[in-house]
Amino acid sequence: MNTPVTSQLQPLLNATTIQERVSALGAQLNADYVQSEAVRVVGVLKGAWIFLADLVRQLDLPISCDFLGVSSYGQATTSSGVMRMTTDLNDPIAGLDVILVEDIVDTGLTMRFLLKTLALREPRSIRTCTLLDKPSRRRVPFTPDYVGFTIPDQFVVGYGLDWAGAYRHLPYIAIWQPQDG
Ligand code: IMP
């Protein structure tokens, strides 16, 4: 058992609530991209892969998927603001309608960095879709195009989101709190 024992989890969003919202987001994307000839769904590793896997199965569009990895230097629960791409996309995105899928938008630094970087590759369009949004934590102005849930300033885990590598596999989302904190 590799789950840290010094933490406690307080459920925030259960699996049914998440699945219903993911279905609704899928329906919205199906309507918005009905005219598109080629949609590239880009997941930000590692946090977005579970959300992306559920989301794309709601899509009735000509899609393909790709992934990239980003890292920010800094402590576990804060973003330092210095970003770097650790894994690049496999394929070009020129001329495609890109949907950038993220697990959570916190300071907005990751999305700002990625939008700036990917825009240079001349996609036909690029929009952002995040499962969770913590707007109260923004350090740079950024509004995602599609949001699953807006949540308060709490550190959350599960459904792809981790604390120190743990909890990604949980089918629900919980607030993570140190036991003695
Ligand atoms: P941003 O650049 O500050 O918007 O941070 C986005 C990234 O920070 C996310 O993709 C997560 O990897 C991480 N992150 C921010 N808040 C949380 C959280 O509450 N739980 C887990 N990861 C988080």
Side-chain angles (χ1 to χ4, degrees):
M1 185 81 174
N2 65 357
T3 303
V5 290
T6 55
S7 63
Q8 55 188 36
L9 301 178
Q10 182 191 326
L12 181 67
L13 299 165
N14 69 36
T16 306
T17 304
I18 295 169
Q19 291 312 320
E20 284 172 0
R21 188 68 192 117
V22 172
S23 294
L25 282 173
Q28 201 180 339
L29 291 170
N30 283 332
D32 291 356
Y33 285 86
V34 70
Q35 309 275 15
S36 177
E37 287 175 8
V39 177
R40 174 70 45 81
V41 181
V42 171
V44 183
L45 295 170
K46 298 178 185 170
W49 63 276
I50 290 180
F51 172 43
L52 183 144
D54 283 345
L55 184 66
V56 293
R57 282 178 285 175
Q58 301 296 324
L59 299 182
D60 185 16
L61 297 167
I63 71 154
S64 53
C65 300
D66 206 347
F67 294 89
L68 53 77
V70 228
S71 178
S72 74
Y73 301 95
Q75 294 160 358
T77 58
T78 61
S79 296
S80 66
V82 183
M83 309 294 313
R84 71 192 166 103
M85 207 183 274
T86 52
T87 307
D88 204 341
L89 295 172
N90 272 340
D91 296 307
I93 53 171
L96 303 180
D97 292 311
V98 172
I99 304 173
L100 190 54
V101 177
E102 179 59 301
D103 55 353
I104 185 164
V105 178
D106 186 31
T107 63
L109 289 162
T110 304
M111 280 307 210
R112 187 184 67 163
F113 166 76
L114 287 176
L115 282 177
K116 230 165 133 181
T117 305
L118 297 182
L120 297 173
R121 303 182 187 186
E122 302 182 338
R124 180 170 179 267
S125 69
I126 181 160
R127 287 189 188 150
T128 55
C129 176
T130 186
L131 178 70
L132 304 174
D133 189 15
K134 287 198 275 197
S136 62
R137 294 254 313 157
R138 285 295 191 285
R139 282 169 51 191
V140 291
F142 173 73
T143 306
D145 297 294
Y146 301 92
V147 175
F149 302 92
T150 299
I151 62 167
D153 180 10
Q154 304 270 19
F155 195 84
V156 291
V157 296
Y159 197 68
L161 293 108
D162 75 310
W163 175 81
Y167 303 122
R168 285 195 204 278
H169 63 294
L170 298 178
Y172 60 92
I173 291 171
I175 296 168
W176 178 89
Q177 294 162 324
Q179 210 150 41
D180 304 315

